[in-house]
Amino acid sequence: MKRTLYTILGVDSLATSEEIAAAYARLHAAFQSGSYDRNDWVLVREAYAVLSNTDKRAMYDRSQIAPPLTRSVEQAPAQQGFSLDWRYGLAAGLLVAGLVYFAKGRAPAPPPVMASQGVSQGATQGATPVLMQDNGGRADQFAAQPQAMQAPASGGSSGAMSMEDLFAKLSPYVARINMYKGSNLVGTGSGVALGGDAIITNCHVALAGSRLQVKLGQDSYEATVVVADEERDLCKLSVRGLSAPAVVIGASSEVRTGQRVIAIGAPHGLDLTLSDGIVSSLRPLDGGTLIQTTAPVSPGSSGGGLFDSSGRLVGIVTFQMRSGQNLNFAAPAEWIGSMRTRSGGGLIGKMSAERAQDNPGQSAQNGDMVVGAWHCHDTIGGTSVLISFQDDRTLEMRYENRVSPGRWMYRDGQLGIQFANVADTLRVEELSRDKMILKFNIGQRLVCARR
């Protein structure tokens, strides 16, 4: 059979881009395991560089139906190993692709989605942390496929990999998470495979819906929460029917300010979006170290992975500061090993409380200290409610088995709360990092403790 770029990758000439990417990923894994010849790997990379680019592939396909440049394989005498005839045909195909490359001045096909890297401006006083869950619509039509290029590995620390190889290695671990209430999609987030049926994500993603769906690769699965560590905003999911590889987890003690990192997630539902940056700071917080990074993230990135240049998971993307540029934060990945089910205000509440303590005057003005989860007790009626105040000025009140979404606003010691058909203004009699007392106009009080 005639040797072509398609047969080098082991796919049919009518193969889709998804099948070509999957074939390359399989051969890449075989090469990394040492079971694939290095010389043949060069041909594989060249074949993928052509077939993963729509224009190059079209030009190559046209070259295959043109009059033959060499004798056919059937006419050639039998030889040991590879026939010289197919090499001539392959060289001709690569030559045509090369002419297209130089004529158009275009580089090989880039990875699916590459977010641009901005320049960190530093934390602005009064900057607001924002959870990275996306409450917009889904973007299935923009689902990305694993891709890689043949560029050589970039320089850097020992074990560093090129961006293309990092994406090819890590994309099988990163999932998109859809959150539903009934049949309605209420948001999207990201997750990382821990091996078997386990996925790690943020609790503000996992607990936002009554039903969770995990999309890993081309398959979708139903998922349930098995460990909810709300204190650290990390939730572990059990995904029915999933058998995923386990990502390698790195230690935050080995993370250094200034080192290169990449984030992979599903911002706005766009699967497998890759962005890169540096570790801009390491911030101690409650028995761990938050990783501050310039790697761009967006709503929907929550729960995605932050990886070092060797492909180790060093953080779980959790939130960003709304004010300022590229002030993004990830929970340390080593927290995954010590997770336990417990309630709490989450990292965003803690960061807001820490900043409020540092600057109480400004915090009282913009309501930062209100942000977080509070357990509130009605001193007269004896009932209790759980109220979660989000930084985007939305709230969620849980009473018995009912959940009521709404909005809130804080100004001059007054807390305005609005639900679908009810609005009220409460006087804030006391507000500190751990305690809040709210007084209704009728004299009724809610005494709240931060979770």
Side-chain angles (χ1 to χ4, degrees):
M1 182 178 68
K2 182 178 178 180
R3 193 73 181 273
T4 68
L5 300 185
Y6 292 101
T7 59
I8 290 174
L9 288 181
V11 297
D12 186 79
S13 60
L14 299 179
T16 64
S17 58
E18 291 86 356
E19 292 169 335
I20 290 173
Y24 178 81
R26 287 194 299 271
L27 294 174
H28 184 271
F31 173 71
Q32 286 191 319
S33 67
S35 60
Y36 202 84
D37 183 81
R38 181 174 295 274
N39 294 325
D40 289 343
W41 175 244
V42 174
L43 296 177
V44 169
R45 290 172 64 152
E46 292 293 338
Y48 181 69
V50 173
L51 299 183
S52 63
N53 182 287
T54 303
D55 292 337
K56 293 180 183 179
R57 181 180 180 182
M59 183 64 75
Y60 173 75
D61 288 342
R62 287 195 292 270
S63 74
Q64 296 302 293
I65 62 176
L69 299 178
T70 65
R71 296 174 298 150
S72 66
V73 174
E74 289 77 9
Q75 295 171 335
Q79 300 181 38
Q80 294 295 325
F82 291 137
S83 168
L84 290 177
D85 295 309
W86 76 260
R87 290 180 184 273
Y88 294 143
L90 174 60
L94 293 177
L95 176 60
V96 171
L99 291 175
V100 175
Y101 169 79
F102 287 108
K104 295 192 175 184
R106 298 175 60 179
V113 184
M114 173 67 91
S116 60
Q117 176 183 344
V119 180
S120 176
Q121 301 296 323
T124 303
Q125 186 176 20
T128 307
V130 181
L131 296 173
M132 302 308 296
Q133 164 193 332
D134 182 24
N135 295 319
R138 60 190 304 173
D140 286 329
Q141 64 270 35
F142 299 114
Q145 303 300 327
Q147 296 186 25
M149 298 196 308
Q150 71 275 26
S154 60
S157 59
S158 176
M161 302 170 63
S162 70
M163 292 290 287
E164 296 82 1
D165 287 342
L166 277 170
F167 183 81
K169 174 181 180 179
L170 298 173
S171 56
Y173 301 112
V174 182
R176 186 181 81 200
I177 299 176
N178 296 329
M179 298 92 76
Y180 294 89
K181 287 186 177 179
S183 60
N184 297 321
L185 179 69
V186 295
T188 62
S190 306
V192 181
L194 300 179
D197 68 346
I199 292 284
I200 188 72
T201 187
N202 290 132
C203 285
H204 72 261
V205 172
L207 301 181
S210 57
R211 181 172 69 88
L212 300 175
Q213 182 186 70
V214 171
K215 182 177 182 292
L216 188 63
Q218 298 302 305
D219 300 316
S220 297
Y221 310 85
E222 297 297 311
T224 55
V225 177
V226 291
V227 180
D229 196 338
E230 296 181 67
E231 178 74 10
R232 291 177 170 176
D233 202 0
L234 291 176
C235 277
K236 186 179 295 185
L237 310 181
S238 175
V239 185
R240 186 168 62 251
L242 177 65
S243 180
V247 71
V248 177
I249 297 178
S252 62
S253 60
E254 298 179 2
V255 177
R256 297 290 182 266
T257 299
Q259 79 174 64
R260 173 187 174 224
V261 288
I262 67 170
I264 305 179
H268 295 292
L270 298 170
D271 306 42
L272 299 179
T273 296
L274 170 72
S275 63
D276 71 325
I278 63 170
V279 174
S280 51
S281 187
L282 297 170
R283 303 194 177 278
L285 180 68
D286 288 351
T289 302
L290 284 183
I291 302 173
Q292 181 180 329
T293 177
T294 64
V297 294
S298 299
S301 296
S302 280
L306 188 71
F307 302 91
D308 65 15
S309 57
S310 296
R312 292 172 297 192
L313 180 69
V314 295
I316 300 298
V317 175
T318 302
F319 66 93
Q320 69 176 175
M321 294 291 187
R322 174 173 293 173
S323 301
Q325 268 191 336
N326 289 336
L327 302 177
N328 311 311
F329 296 84
E334 60 191 17
W335 274 358
I336 296 172
S338 58
M339 289 175 59
R340 58 188 175 89
T341 296
R342 53 180 166 174
S343 60
L347 294 181
I348 188 169
K350 294 182 182 301
M351 284 290 288
S352 296
E354 291 286 352
R355 292 187 305 107
Q357 193 174 46
D358 292 340
N359 192 345
Q362 181 163 346
S363 298
Q365 182 178 0
N366 60 27
D368 283 348
M369 201 177 289
V370 176
V371 174
W374 297 85
H375 186 269
C376 299
H377 180 71
D378 178 357
T379 57
I380 297 179
T383 58
S384 295
V385 296
L386 176 63
I387 308 177
S388 296
F389 296 92
Q390 303 296 343
D391 186 78
D392 61 359
R393 298 309 187 256
T394 61
L395 67 84
E396 188 175 77
M397 184 174 71
R398 296 174 180 266
Y399 174 66
E400 294 181 343
N401 294 324
R402 297 193 299 272
V403 178
S404 301
R407 300 193 64 82
W408 66 278
M409 177 65 70
Y410 179 87
R411 181 180 298 170
D412 300 328
Q414 303 288 321
L415 182 64
I417 296 179
Q418 180 176 358
F419 296 100
N421 299 311
V422 179
D424 204 348
T425 300
L426 293 73
R427 179 184 174 189
V428 181
E429 291 189 335
E430 182 178 335
L431 179 59
S432 65
R433 176 177 179 177
D434 301 312
K435 185 177 181 180
M436 177 168 61
I437 298 179
L438 305 175
K439 181 181 179 181
F440 292 85
N441 292 330
I442 59 176
Q444 185 179 9
R445 284 181 173 84
L446 287 179
V447 178
C448 306
R450 189 182 295 275
R451 293 188 62 194

